[in-house]
């Protein structure tokens, strides 16, 4: 037996408003990968509770992320969509990985340091062990490719280290079970380029974020046409006209952001957008961008709102997805138990 066939896994946390940054940075890429790969897309509710979540909001947000996946064009029949807590193997493999990963490795995780801040004595143990669960998410399917934002690069490297150490620590039983090149593949990150990095409408040097107190800083996927247009109209810009070459966007973060968003929504390069709009003032460009954003996002938001009005359909999709995910994860976890030496 050699390494498993290519398989994509990725996850999104149900921790609040989905916005344009999530859409362009993650969800549209998930949609694209469906053409070339078998994909598993997971709403990671176990990850969400590493920081306290109001239970009713957690359920709402889990359904909303699912609705966004479906509305954006993820095919839950050809591929798999489910929420993490319905597949117990994630948490079970995570425990084994807690015993494979080293304290020193986790101590280097910059996202933990940022999230814990000065109060690191008082955050949950789960927040610290979070990257081990992430490794388990991926490897419990022996997934090979993981589309993520650049903030997750370090966690992906940790997943590779865990896979590698597991393969080494249990080399003998892995070989005895018939696996020639180790049991877990080393999963490859597919990192989004800077073009898909969406910045705040209030400050072009900060990422668009659900936690920004100003709702004007972001476009939420459930915003209606009027809200989308208003936020673009009010977005911060500089006084100059658009340049005709991408080079002219250096040192102009707000202009670069709006042009980048246009290009991404239009499915063209920034250079092409500037060929059309170079020389235009923002008073001309913003309404065009607003129209495009409404055209692309409007139907998605409307479909999400429609699905959220009767959640039975969403819940059924998640349940079926979980069953199908279990059918893959179950046998892999059985192999892991054998390899580790657990009586079955
Ligand atoms: N940590 C990821 C994030 O916050 C979400 C996530 C959890 C994930 N498990 C994953 C992403 C597995 C990719 C693969 O964005």
């Amino acid at each position: 037996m050699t390494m498993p066939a290519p398989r994509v896994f990725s996850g999104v946390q149900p921790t609040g408003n989905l916005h344009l940054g999530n859409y362009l940075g993650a969800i549209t890429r998930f949609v694209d990968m469906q053409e070339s790969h078998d994909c598993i897309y997971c709403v990671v509710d176990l990850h969400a509770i590493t920081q306290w979540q109001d239970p009713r909001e957690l359920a709402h947000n889990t359904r909303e992320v699912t609705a966004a996946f479906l509305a954006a064009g993820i095919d839950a029949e050809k591929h798999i969509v489910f929420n993490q807590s319905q597949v117990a193997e994630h948490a079970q493999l995570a425990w084994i990985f807690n015993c494979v990963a080293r304290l020193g490795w986790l101590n280097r995780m910059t996202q933990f340091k940022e999230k814990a801040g000065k109060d690191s004595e008082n955050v949950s143990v789960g927040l610290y062990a979070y990257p081990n669960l992430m490794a388990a998410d991926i490897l419990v399917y022996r997934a090979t490719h993981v589309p993520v934002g650049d903030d997750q690069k370090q966690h992906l490297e940790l997943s590779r280290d865990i896979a590698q150490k597991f393969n080494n620590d249990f080399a003998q039983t892995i070989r005895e079970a018939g696996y020639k090149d180790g049991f877990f593949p080393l999963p490859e990150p597919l990192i989004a380029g800077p073009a898909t990095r969406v910045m705040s409408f209030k400050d072009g040097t900060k990422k668009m974020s659900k936690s920004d107190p100003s709702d004007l800083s972001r476009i939420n996927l459930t915003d209606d046409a009027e809200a989308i247009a208003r936020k673009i109209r009010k977005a911060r810009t500089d006084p100059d006209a658009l340049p005709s070459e991408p080079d002219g966007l250096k040192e102009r973060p707000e202009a670069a952001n709006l042009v980048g968003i246009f290009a991404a929504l239009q499915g063209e390069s920034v250079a092409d957008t500037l060929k059309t709009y170079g020389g235009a003032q923002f008073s001309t460009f913003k309404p065009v961008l607003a129209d495009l954003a409404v055209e692309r996002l409007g139907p998605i938001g409307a479909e999400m709102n429609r699905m959220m009005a009767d959640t039975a359909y969403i819940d059924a999709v998640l349940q079926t997805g979980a069953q199908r995910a279990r059918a893959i994860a179950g046998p892999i976890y059985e192999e892991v138990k054998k390899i580790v030496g657990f009586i079955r």
Side-chain angles (χ1 to χ4, degrees):
M1 266 175 280
T2 49
M3 273 299 150
R7 175 179 278 147
V8 164
F9 182 96
S10 197
V12 172
Q13 293 199 52
T15 46
N17 281 351
L18 283 172
H19 53 71
L20 182 63
N22 304 118
Y23 178 68
L24 292 178
I27 300 176
T28 56
R29 301 175 65 226
F30 295 180
V31 172
D32 291 343
M33 304 239 34
Q34 300 184 107
E35 293 299 317
S36 49
H37 290 79
D38 287 331
C39 304
I40 303 177
Y41 295 127
C42 185
V43 188
V44 289
D45 47 10
L46 298 176
H47 276 97
I49 64 161
T50 56
Q51 294 176 301
W52 190 81
Q53 303 295 317
D54 179 297
R56 270 177 306 248
E57 282 175 27
L58 179 63
H60 172 89
N61 291 336
T62 300
R63 292 184 175 116
E64 193 167 85
V65 173
T66 310
F69 282 175
L70 301 175
I74 289 175
D75 183 338
E77 282 174 16
K78 286 211 190 92
H79 302 274
I80 296 178
V81 173
F82 73 106
N83 61 310
Q84 192 182 23
S85 60
Q86 291 207 57
V87 181
E89 284 83 356
H90 289 244
Q92 292 176 305
L93 184 60
W95 177 258
I96 294 176
F97 286 173
N98 284 344
C99 305
V100 172
R102 304 290 91 182
L103 219 48
W105 299 359
L106 288 177
N107 284 339
R108 285 196 282 277
M109 295 295 116
T110 55
Q111 192 170 76
F112 174 77
K113 289 180 206 166
E114 277 161 27
K115 285 192 183 174
K118 289 192 202 71
D119 202 22
S120 65
E121 290 283 299
N122 207 20
V123 296
S124 75
V125 175
L127 188 69
Y128 186 73
Y130 172 121
N132 294 344
L133 175 60
M134 184 164 159
D137 295 340
I138 300 163
L139 294 170
V140 82
Y141 303 97
R142 300 173 87 209
T144 53
H145 294 84
V146 186
V148 281
D150 59 357
D151 62 320
Q152 296 299 314
K153 203 172 158 202
Q154 195 184 32
H155 290 160
L156 246 292
E157 276 156 17
L158 186 87
S159 297
R160 295 168 64 88
D161 290 342
I162 289 174
Q164 180 85 66
K165 183 159 170 23
F166 183 94
N167 288 345
N168 290 341
D169 287 356
F170 299 101
Q172 184 160 355
T173 43
I174 288 172
R175 252 193 322 273
E176 282 163 11
Y179 299 90
K180 284 206 187 63
D181 319 308
F183 182 69
F184 287 122
L186 307 189
E188 275 187 46
L190 306 171
I191 307 281
T196 49
R197 228 175 123 167
V198 178
M199 313 307 281
S200 159
F201 281 177
K202 297 271 120 193
D203 177 351
T205 63
K206 284 204 318 221
K207 261 171 73 163
M208 186 173 282
S209 158
K210 63 180 176 232
S211 49
D212 192 312
S214 168
D215 195 54
L216 285 174
S217 70
R218 65 183 158 262
I219 293 179
N220 304 305
L221 286 187
T222 47
D223 281 347
D224 60 20
E226 197 269 321
I228 294 173
R230 177 164 35 90
K231 288 174 177 182
I232 291 176
R233 201 165 56 238
K234 296 201 165 172
R236 180 164 151 188
T237 50
D238 56 43
D240 297 335
L242 289 181
S244 34
E245 308 274 338
D247 258 5
L249 291 170
K250 281 185 191 149
E251 322 286 325
R252 295 181 66 188
E254 282 85 15
N257 189 36
L258 294 185
V259 173
I261 291 170
F262 184 98
L265 288 172
Q266 183 70 21
E268 65 181 19
S269 68
V270 166
D272 282 339
T273 303
L274 291 177
K275 261 183 216 139
T276 314
Y277 293 103
Q281 299 292 334
F282 281 106
S283 54
T284 311
F285 183 67
K286 278 182 167 182
V288 186
L289 174 59
D291 284 348
L292 178 63
V294 167
E295 184 187 318
R296 292 292 141 83
L297 303 177
I300 294 173
E303 176 70 358
M304 284 173 68
N305 289 330
R306 194 187 63 75
M307 279 193 250
M308 291 299 284
D310 170 16
T311 55
Y313 174 69
I314 296 175
D315 292 8
V317 166
L318 290 174
Q319 224 167 65
T320 309
Q323 259 164 28
R324 291 171 54 215
R326 257 181 254 128
I328 301 171
I332 292 175
Y333 186 64
E334 279 302 310
E335 289 290 279
V336 170
K337 292 209 298 196
K338 186 162 75 186
I339 287 165
V340 172
F342 292 157
I343 301 292
R344 298 174 301 139

